[in-house]
Amino acid sequence: MKKITFFVLCFFLLNLHCLIAQGWSRYYPLDLGFADFTLTTTTDGSIFVGLNATDVSGTITSPSLFKTLPNGEPAWIKPYQDLTGSAYNPTLKGVDNNCLLVANGNAIIKLNADGIPLWTTTYPYIFEEYQTFLFLRSDGYIIVSQSLLNYSPIRISKLGFDGNMIYDEVVNFNTQVFQFEFLEHVEIDALGNLFFFSGSNNRLIKTNENLDIVFNITDPTFGGTLIALEPERIIIGTTLINGQGVTISSLPAGYYYPVLSPDQKLFFTQELVPNSEIKVIKCNLDFSIIWEKVLTLPDFNINRRLMAGFADGGVVIFVEVDNMNPYLIRTDADGNTYTNHLYGNIFTDLNQNCLFEPNIDSHHAGINVVAEKGDLTWFATTDSMGDFRFNALDTGSMLLRVIPPGNSWTICNDSIMVDFIGSFDTIQINTGITDLVGCPFPEIDLATPFLRRCFTSTYTIHYENLGGISADSAVAHLYLDPYLSLVAANLPYIDLGNNHYAFEVGTLAPLQKGQFNVSVYTDCDSTTLGQIHCTQAILEITNPCPNVLPDFPEIQVTAECIGDSVRFVIKNIGDVPMLELAEFIVIEDLIVMRTGTFQLNPQQDTVLTNVADGSTYRIYAGHLPQTIPFFSSTAALEACNGSLNPGIWNMLYSHLINEDEDIDCQENIGAYDPNDKQAVPKGLDAAHYIAPNTPLEYTIRFQNTGTDTAFNIVVMDTVSPHLDVSSLRMDVSSHPFQYEILGNGVLRCVFSNIQLPDSNTNLVGSQGFVRFHILQKHDLSENTNILNRAAIFFDFNAPIFTNTTRHRINTQFLKPNFIDWVSEIPNTNLILVPNPILAGHTMLRIDGITDSKPYTLEIFDIYGRPIHKAQSQSGVWSLYNMDWSAGIYLVRLRSDKAIISTGKLLVE
């Protein structure tokens, strides 16, 4: 129900809370690379952020100045090197609604709200400045800086508000009897006294406004930010000293990163759970607490945190996530972020009247609920009673979406608009999901955390009826990989031979689920480390839903190793002919070896044969020409007619299967990290390239390596902002758990009373996992980076952080090694192995040549100068000691002196 009375009082009494800014939080996927950051606020509540992006070698790549509007919306981002001539991060200071920046280059610039320079002042002798500090005084600006070199003099300059230089002086503390090594912090108090701190030797120097030294002290407890509370009290790190340099006391325990806001209040942060929760504390200058707020951080991959206060009494907390991107949390004067609340209940409407009837309808846990306003999104998940809650939403209108648990369900209210008139409003929404088809929809998932050679591993098989009526007499069929043998299962089974087992799970009510475990042994003698093993599960029922879809051609591909060759069969198993050409692509390891088109009648097939050498061969078939192939039918083989080349299978692996079946393909392993995160597909090469819109499957593995039983385990995973959290679907886990999606896109999985034994007591039983799959946001741009990392909490211990999974979006990572190939011989391609070209032996062949007459290959550089000429009757040429420098090469194929094919090689 809405709290109307609050708004009535607010309107008539002009309550202060109605006048201050609303809080917010927002992620900014700028993808600039590793970065240093600075930030400042302005009177109107805008935020300026300086981003000094560098690559992993430390080379600056894209230094930028970024501004947000008071509501957190991005205003603009500009390369500040264009403004300053500097390649280094500027020092920023909000001035009214404008921004003053001092570049570590050659200029001081005042920008207006649109980022347009109002004036620029050349700053002499600052080219090598490393640390720069900027202060706003009643009569102008004070700038303090020190050269990159340690023990360098310190420059102090003063400018008027118009940018004109008033004075520029140098002080060299190293001429005294002490050494001042490196300028880490500077502060100016209300009387003009200056405080200089060298963090390298914990030295604090105070001067008066004439730069005469008042005191010079060192203390090993000194460190961190300097804040002048008043002439007689200075905060240095967590120590409080007086104006004579005498320590008064230490700050209260846990007070870190102090910030003095424009309204003369102090803000501190206190870390509660490492890299996941912090407490923000607002104090008066006497350290009396005004409020304390606990904030959940958006990601565990955090490098830096910064704070800055606002004139309205709020604060902004800056968190760097994904090693590169800003996440800002803005509070109002009372420490609130978003203050509106939305809650409700989602029920499964089994009699399709969109009214909840307790004796007929039911509740379902794990239904995702999404609130959307522009590019802002909040998430919630229903609990076991179907309840959901958003504790912090923005003002204004937003759309509430309920994500049904399967394709056969729809929401009773298709579009639910929610209007929050102001702050501190509460709205309740109840609605149902109803069955569209009136059919059972069996679903099955299987997974194991690993397959270790010569050891026993455990598959978990999860099954569910996603339909609106019962699924009768369900049987789970398990087809184990030939190199695996069944050891035990916690559900009775029938051995049907040839590694095929049947498990009767019984009739499943609508949305009923269950799971069982199967232990398997990975053979030692007949397997190779890194070899792939594929196990399949199918859930059959006696009352399947009839096929109500129109007939269509359906492409199926299979692969088998026959002697020295890989044999691919492409078949149309549908009931109607293909109406247009489709394409196939054959990949050898990571190289496109063959492409072509086909068009098949019902039940017709075509066969492709490739000579094999142990590489991993994969085919995709059925996609339209010039489209991304990875969403078509696929099959693969490895180690055919040669030694295994491990690690290729899951780089590009994806499979299109029905909900009533699942395939788990993974490499066997030796030693392993017991707490990690895996992704399928892995992605191609070191950059982990994947195509846009490729679904991702994540598995988080954990093991109790402690010395006692773990009773409760929590897995926290901040979902990348480039992924669609509303599509997140939990697949299978080793143990029962409850999960929720927090408002900032954090997946939280709770294994309550799991009683996981320690690895010394029970090695196999000490392990667990949880798996989910998720879709990308639609049509992500080229080179978008998708990063994910999880944190695992064992009881009350500090979190264990997994590795970071990485993917990069690209549509051109599988390139044919030829361009502009034109040939009089149909269906021929130019193939170069390896690709990209390496020094030494290179093989070039014309794929598709079937006769045995002599062909002459000619290669020219871009200027037409011949660099190679050779003859072959098989269409294969071995090239030795070729000087392949980067560039484009011209290729000609002759037969009987006539040019029959031309193309270009691209060498990168």
Side-chain angles (χ1 to χ4, degrees):
M1 107 186 93
K2 292 188 174 238
K3 298 181 179 177
I4 304 296
T5 53
F6 173 84
F7 296 101
V8 173
L9 290 173
C10 179
F11 179 79
F12 287 105
L13 301 179
L14 292 179
N15 187 294
L16 176 63
H17 295 294
C18 304
L19 301 178
I20 62 176
Q22 157 114 356
W24 46 262
S25 60
R26 184 184 284 260
Y27 176 87
Y28 302 92
L30 302 178
D31 289 336
L32 296 176
F34 296 90
D36 291 321
F37 300 90
T38 56
L39 79 160
T40 189
T41 62
T42 59
T43 304
D44 67 351
S46 297
I47 302 170
F48 285 86
V49 183
L51 307 114
N52 187 24
T54 60
D55 60 22
V56 293
S57 68
T59 302
I60 295 171
T61 56
S62 53
S64 302
L65 189 64
F66 174 58
K67 183 192 175 184
T68 78
L69 299 176
N71 63 1
E73 293 182 10
W76 45 259
I77 183 169
K78 298 183 178 183
Y80 65 72
Q81 191 167 2
D82 294 349
L83 301 171
T84 68
S86 170
Y88 293 92
N89 209 14
T91 300
L92 305 177
K93 188 72 172 181
V95 180
D96 298 324
N97 295 332
N98 304 316
C99 180
L100 191 73
L101 63 88
V102 179
N104 288 339
N106 58 6
I108 305 168
I109 304 172
K110 186 174 184 180
L111 305 175
N112 67 10
D114 297 320
I116 299 173
L118 299 175
W119 51 256
T120 300
T121 297
T122 300
Y123 193 108
Y125 315 116
I126 196 175
F127 183 76
E128 291 186 351
E129 298 304 318
Y130 180 75
Q131 278 283 50
T132 304
F133 300 87
L134 175 61
F135 302 94
L136 175 63
R137 309 295 292 168
S138 60
D139 55 351
Y141 309 114
I142 300 292
I143 301 165
V144 181
S145 56
Q146 186 185 31
S147 171
L148 179 65
L149 300 175
N150 291 337
Y151 301 105
S152 298
I154 295 173
R155 181 175 297 276
I156 303 172
S157 304
K158 184 173 183 180
L159 278 71
F161 291 126
D162 56 2
N164 291 325
M165 187 75 69
I166 298 175
Y167 64 75
D168 177 36
E169 299 185 19
V170 173
V171 55
N172 189 352
F173 291 126
N174 296 310
T175 61
Q176 311 297 324
V177 293
F178 52 84
Q179 295 288 301
F180 189 88
E181 183 176 356
F182 172 69
L183 183 62
E184 184 171 326
H185 291 285
V186 179
E187 179 64 297
I188 302 178
D189 67 15
L191 300 179
N193 299 308
L194 288 94
F195 298 83
F196 305 89
F197 176 63
S198 173
S200 58
N201 53 7
N202 302 103
R203 185 179 297 280
L204 180 65
I205 299 172
K206 176 184 178 181
T207 74
N208 59 25
E209 59 182 345
N210 297 320
L211 302 181
D212 300 320
I213 294 177
V214 177
F215 64 68
N216 160 37
I217 55 176
T218 59
D219 191 319
T221 65
F222 287 172
T225 305
L226 276 171
I227 295 180
L229 302 183
E230 54 195 41
E232 293 303 319
R233 288 202 307 161
I234 304 295
I235 295 176
I236 177 167
T238 59
T239 304
L240 187 65
I241 65 174
N242 64 19
Q244 288 71 48
V246 177
T247 297
I248 301 174
S249 64
S250 296
L251 298 183
Y255 281 28
Y256 301 110
Y257 308 110
V259 169
L260 185 65
S261 65
D263 65 342
Q264 295 299 296
K265 304 296 182 183
L266 282 167
F267 288 98
F268 298 91
T269 61
Q270 180 182 10
E271 189 169 60
L272 298 181
V273 180
N275 288 341
S276 61
E277 281 187 349
I278 59 170
K279 180 187 290 185
V280 179
I281 306 162
K282 184 177 181 179
C283 300
N284 293 306
L285 296 185
D286 62 359
F287 302 115
S288 59
I289 294 176
I290 301 173
W291 51 254
E292 298 177 341
K293 297 289 181 178
V294 175
L295 301 177
T296 301
L297 300 180
D299 197 276
F300 302 101
N301 195 1
I302 296 169
N303 288 339
R304 290 177 251 335
R305 297 183 203 135
L306 299 172
M307 282 197 303
F310 291 95
D312 64 14
V315 68
V316 57
I317 299 95
F318 171 100
V319 179
E320 181 194 357
V321 299
D322 297 341
N323 279 330
M324 59 188 69
N325 292 321
Y327 187 97
L328 300 180
I329 305 172
R330 205 275 203 222
T331 78
D332 63 16
D334 294 325
N336 301 305
T337 53
Y338 295 112
T339 56
N340 293 309
H341 298 266
L342 174 64
Y343 71 99
N345 184 269
I346 309 298
F347 59 91
T348 53
D349 177 37
L350 299 181
N351 62 355
Q352 300 183 346
N353 64 357
C354 287
L355 298 174
F356 178 70
E357 300 181 33
N359 296 327
I360 300 174
D361 300 327
S362 62
H363 298 288
H364 188 60
I367 295 178
N368 294 338
V369 186
V370 184
E372 298 174 326
K373 178 187 176 184
D375 63 345
L376 296 177
T377 307
W378 296 266
F379 305 94
T381 310
T382 59
D383 60 19
S384 59
M385 295 303 297
D387 294 328
F388 69 92
R389 177 176 292 275
F390 296 93
N391 288 320
L393 293 178
D394 200 0
T395 56
S397 298
M398 60 190 63
L399 177 68
L400 185 70
R401 291 195 298 120
V402 178
I403 310 301
N407 294 330
S408 66
W409 296 85
T410 188
I411 185 173
C412 287
N413 303 96
D414 191 27
S415 297
I416 305 175
M417 293 303 301
V418 181
D419 293 305
F420 289 105
I421 300 173
S423 303
F424 298 97
D425 195 4
T426 300
I427 297 176
Q428 179 178 358
I429 297 290
N430 297 331
T431 189
I433 55 172
T434 186
D435 181 27
L436 281 173
V437 183
C439 279
F441 276 91
E443 181 188 64
I444 194 166
D445 299 295
L446 85 158
T448 180
F450 55 83
L451 291 170
R452 191 174 183 186
R453 291 182 68 241
C454 313
F455 285 84
T456 298
S457 303
T458 300
Y459 275 106
T460 300
I461 295 92
H462 174 92
Y463 54 86
E464 184 173 3
N465 174 19
L466 290 176
I469 68 171
S470 295
D472 296 340
S473 304
V475 177
H477 291 267
L478 184 66
Y479 299 85
L480 288 178
D481 182 89
Y483 298 95
L484 306 180
S485 56
L486 190 147
V487 176
N490 62 354
L491 189 70
Y493 61 88
I494 301 173
D495 186 347
L496 299 177
N498 199 27
N499 254 9
H500 175 194
Y501 303 90
F503 299 80
E504 297 183 1
V505 297
T507 297
L508 302 174
L511 300 179
Q512 182 182 348
K513 63 182 69 175
Q515 68 182 43
F516 60 93
N517 296 329
V518 174
S519 297
V520 299
Y521 178 79
T522 305
D523 188 65
C524 287
D525 300 329
S526 59
T527 60
T528 303
L529 187 64
Q531 180 177 336
I532 205 76
H533 301 283
C534 290
T535 294
Q536 183 181 23
I538 298 176
L539 187 61
E540 293 184 351
I541 59 175
T542 57
N543 62 329
C545 187
N547 184 9
V548 296
L549 297 174
D551 291 336
F552 58 91
E554 183 177 351
I555 304 303
Q556 180 187 73
V557 291
T558 58
E560 60 179 331
C561 181
I562 301 178
D564 63 352
S565 300
V566 174
R567 183 176 184 266
F568 294 111
V569 179
I570 306 173
K571 185 175 183 178
N572 176 11
I573 63 174
D575 295 329
V576 298
M578 297 172 61
L579 300 179
E580 56 187 332
L581 288 172
E583 190 174 52
F584 69 83
I585 177 173
V586 177
I587 303 168
E588 179 183 337
D589 283 346
L590 307 178
I591 304 169
V592 176
M593 299 301 297
R594 188 173 180 181
T595 62
T597 58
F598 64 95
Q599 191 171 3
L600 301 173
N601 291 319
Q603 305 305 312
Q604 183 183 4
D605 63 35
T606 184
V607 178
L608 305 174
T609 302
N610 277 71
V611 176
D613 61 0
S615 300
T616 300
Y617 293 88
R618 178 172 294 280
I619 186 173
Y620 290 94
H623 54 284
L624 295 177
Q626 308 304 315
T627 60
I628 296 175
F630 309 118
F631 307 108
S632 57
S633 298
T634 184
L637 277 177
E638 65 178 11
C640 177
N641 192 38
S643 301
L644 174 70
N645 183 18
I648 305 296
W649 184 286
N650 278 334
M651 280 189 176
L652 299 175
Y653 178 60
S654 62
H655 54 272
L656 303 177
I657 57 176
N658 298 322
E659 291 176 334
D660 60 356
E661 63 178 298
D662 192 19
I663 301 174
D664 179 85
C665 292
Q666 61 176 288
E667 304 157 5
N668 68 47
I669 61 173
Y672 63 96
D673 186 343
N675 297 286
D676 69 355
K677 185 172 184 178
Q678 302 290 322
V680 175
K682 294 180 181 178
L684 186 70
D685 289 342
H688 301 280
Y689 289 117
I690 59 173
N693 306 311
T694 301
L696 289 168
E697 181 181 78
Y698 290 107
T699 301
I700 302 167
R701 307 187 295 192
F702 53 86
Q703 182 177 20
N704 177 12
T705 57
T707 58
D708 197 2
T709 300
F711 292 93
N712 296 286
I713 296 175
V714 177
V715 175
M716 301 279 284
D717 189 333
T718 297
V719 176
S720 166
H722 301 302
L723 300 177
D724 179 8
V725 179
S726 67
S727 71
L728 188 149
R729 184 76 180 276
M730 305 307 301
D731 283 342
V732 60
S733 66
S734 58
H735 300 78
F737 71 101
Q738 298 292 325
Y739 82 96
E740 61 180 335
I741 300 175
L742 305 179
N744 52 9
V746 176
L747 172 65
R748 183 173 184 265
C749 302
V750 180
F751 295 82
S752 298
N753 198 29
I754 188 174
Q755 297 191 33
L756 201 69
D758 64 87
S759 55
N760 294 319
T761 302
N762 184 346
L763 180 63
V764 175
S766 67
Q767 302 162 35
F769 72 94
V770 61
R771 175 177 292 182
F772 66 92
H773 69 254
I774 191 168
L775 302 179
Q776 299 179 25
K777 290 184 176 177
H778 188 63
D779 290 342
L780 292 175
S781 60
E782 292 283 298
N783 296 317
T784 298
N785 291 302
I786 301 175
L787 307 179
N788 267 96
R789 186 170 71 154
I792 305 166
F793 298 81
F794 291 87
D795 292 324
F796 299 104
N797 296 311
I800 296 174
F801 299 104
T802 70
N803 56 293
T804 298
T805 60
R806 301 176 183 274
H807 294 95
R808 179 175 293 179
I809 302 302
N810 196 280
T811 57
Q812 303 296 324
F813 59 84
L814 278 184
K815 296 179 181 179
N817 41 28
F818 61 89
I819 54 177
D820 300 334
W821 181 250
V822 178
S823 179
E824 294 180 3
I825 306 176
N827 298 318
T828 60
N829 287 327
L830 176 65
I831 303 297
L832 196 68
V833 181
N835 181 21
I837 292 171
L838 300 176
H841 177 215
T842 300
M843 183 186 75
L844 187 150
R845 78 169 185 259
I846 310 299
D847 195 18
I849 290 180
T850 57
D851 56 30
S852 59
K853 64 182 181 181
Y855 291 91
T856 300
L857 178 76
E858 298 174 315
I859 302 177
F860 305 85
D861 65 17
I862 194 63
Y863 302 104
R865 294 174 299 205
I867 63 171
H868 187 78
K869 182 178 181 179
Q871 195 175 76
S872 171
Q873 289 186 322
S874 63
V876 178
W877 289 264
S878 292
L879 310 177
Y880 290 93
N881 300 320
M882 297 287 291
D883 185 16
W884 294 108
S885 56
I888 295 177
Y889 295 82
L890 309 179
V891 178
R892 289 197 314 212
L893 187 66
R894 289 181 178 270
S895 177
D896 299 327
K897 298 184 179 180
I899 298 175
I900 59 173
S901 304
T902 61
K904 299 175 184 176
L905 290 178
L906 178 62
V907 179
E908 297 179 344

